[in-house]
Amino acid sequence: MPSSLLIPNAVPELPLIQRAQQHAGSIAFQTPEKSTTYQALLDQSAQFASALLQGAADLQEARVALLAAAGPTYVAAQWGIWRAGAIKVPICLTATEPEWEYALTDSGASVVMAEGTSVKKIAPLCQRLGLRLINLDDVRAPLQPLPALTPARRAMILYTSGTTSKPKGVVTTHAHITAQIESLIQAWAWQSTDRIPLFLPMHHIHGIINVTSCALWAGAVIEPFTKFDQPAILERVKARAYTLFMAVPTIYVKLIQALESAEPAERQAIVAGFAAMRLMVSGSAALPASVHEQWTALTGQKLLERYGMTEIGMAISNPLHGERRPGAVGQPLPGVEIRLKAETGEIITAEHTPGEIQVRGPNVFREYWGKPEATAESFDQDGWYRTGDMAVRETGYYRIMGRLSVDIIKSGGYKLSALEIEAALLDHPDIAECAVIGMPDDTWGEAVSAAVVTRPGTDLTLAALREWSKTRLSVYKVPQRLAVVKELPRNAMGKVTKPAVRSLFNS
Ligand code: MLC
Ligand code: AMP
């Protein structure tokens, strides 16, 4: 008998759980080794929730960190955390120990759920911090009734880098998550017949909301990969396994390179697989118009570019039906209000006039965890969220112009803080001063670039700096370029002038 039948839940379930119950017998996850039904995910999530609760009635928004790869166990753990009344804090599988420690202590996590080899890796830290560690591969708990939850309950804390040195925890409720999912289900017409590969990291919304949560809301099938395993994914594309594909621009650049270097017959087979999909989406960073056009020339597919952010989910999108304009992100998504605000404080109504994108709607996050001042600063007086991104409107479509802050870098779709990287590099024994910027890069969008003044008698190389940095920073934050200089460009106040740092890499 399925375990879910043993303890019927008398209380109303969260919308995502109710949706899963409607698709109970369908396949949710498919790998070469096994198929997992929605019912199996529900059953496992009830197990995980019971293991978390340990007899308590409700975890009352306790923070539970999740360290797992994309796949059924991740989703069952996510739902288990939610069904126990706790807040899920997904952490990066490949982060360094200091980064894990920051997320665990800042969020005040009391439990870590981990799977596979991650269990061993994080065990010493859990022990040092006095946290309960649950091995997801080995959970056997007596099932117990689960708490009733309201949509206003906090559901998730996602760590995002920004204009402060340390990442901030973005808090969303179940209502926010539901609004973010429903908007995309409507805009992109998700169906239960959809099949999508999942290869994005599971500590950011692109993987969590746009791919996984939308697919599971619709009753679709997900094929998970533990990373962007290009050969394996292209084999499945050739087999016409997918109707949908969602990726960051760097991935499309890599796919173009792969197609261009493939044998003609192989290329034709892969192209046919891409051409057969009903929708291919790009986002998380600017998709150069040239990449958009190259992709169309190669596959016949017009990529749909959309714009979003951890704090707001997706906000602006090119249309499913209608013109998908290269270099533009389209129009506001259902339920999302957008305005552009000039530096003068004026709300811009004219086209071709740049302003900051501000957002309002049921999709907009609640707060930065434990940072009321940062939360207050990120909203305008009248409650609109200030994204810090600049845009213009051109014949009805928004086009992103750049960011207000020079300290934010986007590399391969990851948002990085120059300040966080600078703080880490200043711990290097050979580095006296440093300035980090993002330099334009054909593959990564921007490449983390460090200008440093070294201490006398030292001889710092990029290779040595990368090796050292990897013990402190996630690999995608590690500088890709290094300029060793005698002094950093500074203004009259002694502050480093970041625009002038660019010229140090241009020569
Ligand atoms: C990997 N590397 C990176 C990198 N990713 N370096 C800089 N920036 C990155 N983003 C490093 C690798 O560690 C390796 O280092 C070298 O580059 C080559 O690795 P690779 O194997 O070729 O790269 P790969 O592992 O395939 O990763 C590329 C990628 C990945 C694009 C698949 O970066 C990725 O998954 N990005 C997606 C991030 C994401 O989901 N962002 C969404 C945030 S939410 P070495 O030293 O070992 O050679 C958001 C809101 C919204 O933005 O709108 O969606
Ligand atoms: P994150 O904080 O990781 O959620 O990243 C959000 C940021 O990614 C936004 O504030 C934008 O700067 C950037 N971004 C997302 N989508 C796009 C896009 N289509 N074009 C340009 N920038 C984008």
Side-chain angles (χ1 to χ4, degrees):
M1 184 171 13
S3 49
S4 57
L5 297 183
L6 294 175
I7 305 259
N9 224 9
V11 296
E13 293 273 13
L14 292 166
L16 255 167
I17 301 298
Q18 288 180 28
R19 296 286 311 183
Q21 286 164 340
Q22 288 168 24
H23 303 293
S26 308
I27 305 290
F29 281 95
Q30 179 87 60
T31 65
E33 293 80 35
K34 69 168 187 178
S35 309
T36 308
T37 61
Y38 282 80
Q39 185 62 55
L41 290 179
L42 288 166
D43 290 346
Q44 205 182 10
S45 74
Q47 273 284 334
F48 290 157
S50 300
L52 280 167
L53 283 162
Q54 289 183 301
D58 183 337
L59 286 191
Q60 303 283 7
E61 297 191 344
R63 275 75 63 209
V64 176
L66 176 57
L67 190 61
T73 307
Y74 180 103
V75 167
Q78 168 176 275
W79 292 355
I81 293 167
W82 288 343
R83 295 176 89 186
I87 301 176
K88 169 202 174 204
V89 187
I91 52 178
C92 175
L93 273 174
T94 55
T96 60
E97 187 162 312
E99 289 169 323
W100 278 343
E101 182 167 353
Y102 173 75
L104 295 175
T105 51
D106 186 77
S107 65
S110 51
V111 185
V112 175
M113 298 182 106
E115 66 163 0
T117 53
S118 301
V119 178
K120 235 181 164 168
K121 277 195 219 150
I122 204 158
L125 181 61
C126 291
Q127 198 169 15
R128 182 156 61 78
L129 299 177
L131 308 182
R132 180 177 170 213
L133 174 59
I134 297 178
N135 180 348
L136 291 165
D137 304 322
D138 187 23
V139 170
R140 264 174 238 100
L143 286 176
Q144 64 166 86
L146 304 176
L149 304 170
T150 60
R153 175 81 71 115
R154 292 178 182 86
M156 188 153 71
I157 301 178
L158 288 181
Y159 277 88
T160 183
S161 296
T163 47
T164 49
S165 172
K166 287 289 185 194
K168 296 192 287 275
V170 174
V171 180
T172 42
T173 64
H174 290 290
H176 295 132
I177 291 174
T178 302
Q180 292 176 4
I181 296 169
E182 284 186 319
S183 177
L184 295 185
I185 295 280
Q186 188 186 333
W188 300 341
W190 275 90
Q191 312 287 332
S192 60
T193 46
D194 279 322
R195 297 177 66 96
I196 189 165
L198 169 61
F199 42 73
L200 292 169
M202 289 303 281
H203 61 293
H204 285 302
I205 54 165
H206 200 159
I208 300 170
I209 302 286
N210 296 27
V211 180
T212 310
S213 301
C214 284
L216 298 179
W217 186 277
V221 180
I222 299 172
E223 285 196 11
F225 296 83
T226 48
K227 65 182 291 268
F228 179 64
D229 180 351
Q230 190 164 285
I233 294 163
L234 288 182
E235 273 309 305
R236 297 295 294 148
V237 169
K238 261 193 332 196
R240 305 206 181 179
Y242 309 124
T243 62
L244 280 172
F245 197 90
M246 293 185 192
V248 297
T250 298
I251 288 179
Y252 288 110
V253 172
K254 288 179 176 230
L255 290 172
I256 288 171
Q257 288 161 357
L259 283 174
E260 285 179 344
S261 59
E263 295 296 326
E266 172 80 353
R267 183 197 309 184
Q268 211 179 354
I270 299 170
V271 162
F274 280 122
M277 292 179 195
R278 77 165 182 89
L279 176 65
M280 299 191 72
V281 180
S282 174
S284 300
L287 177 73
S290 58
V291 175
H292 193 292
E293 281 151 9
Q294 259 178 303
W295 191 257
T296 306
L298 271 170
T299 66
Q301 280 276 0
K302 275 197 179 287
L303 295 176
L304 179 152
E305 184 176 8
R306 62 32 173 209
Y307 161 87
M309 196 174 185
T310 305
E311 286 86 340
I312 58 174
M314 297 303 110
I316 310 178
S317 171
N318 274 281
L320 179 63
H321 306 292
E323 183 197 4
R324 295 186 195 157
R325 198 180 292 173
V329 291
Q331 293 165 332
L333 278 159
V336 182
E337 286 180 86
I338 298 289
R339 74 179 186 190
L340 295 182
K341 192 165 183 182
E343 250 182 280
T344 55
E346 176 200 344
I347 305 303
I348 295 165
T349 50
E351 295 217 318
H352 307 286
T353 311
E356 184 192 31
I357 304 176
Q358 301 198 337
V359 185
R360 193 167 70 172
N363 54 308
V364 177
F365 78 124
R366 175 176 167 146
E367 65 198 341
Y368 292 115
W369 180 255
K371 295 189 170 51
E373 280 170 24
T375 306
E377 272 169 29
S378 69
F379 286 89
D380 234 26
Q381 294 95 329
D382 54 357
W384 288 70
Y385 174 67
R386 301 159 54 183
T387 62
D389 290 310
M390 298 291 290
V392 286
R393 216 158 35 86
E394 296 170 342
T395 50
Y397 279 46
Y398 286 88
R399 190 158 63 81
I400 310 290
M401 307 284 288
R403 287 181 292 268
L404 286 170
S405 168
V406 288
D407 289 322
I408 291 175
I409 300 170
K410 266 267 159 170
S411 176
Y414 283 108
K415 184 154 109 175
L416 315 175
S417 162
L419 303 177
E420 181 188 1
I421 300 169
E422 285 164 4
L425 297 188
L426 283 173
D427 278 344
H428 191 289
D430 294 355
I431 296 179
E433 295 171 45
C434 75
V436 168
I437 58 166
M439 285 297 288
D441 185 276
D442 287 346
T443 300
W444 299 104
E446 289 177 308
V448 175
S449 306
V452 305
V453 177
T454 50
R455 295 191 193 283
T458 58
D459 184 18
L460 188 63
T461 63
L462 177 62
L465 180 64
R466 279 183 66 80
E467 206 181 309
W468 179 89
S469 301
K470 283 178 184 174
T471 60
R472 323 228 156 181
L473 296 167
S474 289
V475 70
Y476 48 84
K477 301 178 187 170
V478 169
Q480 301 194 29
R481 297 186 199 169
L482 174 68
V484 178
V485 293
K486 287 212 161 49
E487 58 180 356
L488 294 174
R490 292 181 187 273
N491 63 17
M493 311 288 290
K495 195 172 175 322
V496 173
T497 45
K498 291 258 168 122
V501 174
R502 282 175 163 252
S503 59
L504 302 174
F505 294 93
N506 281 334
S507 50

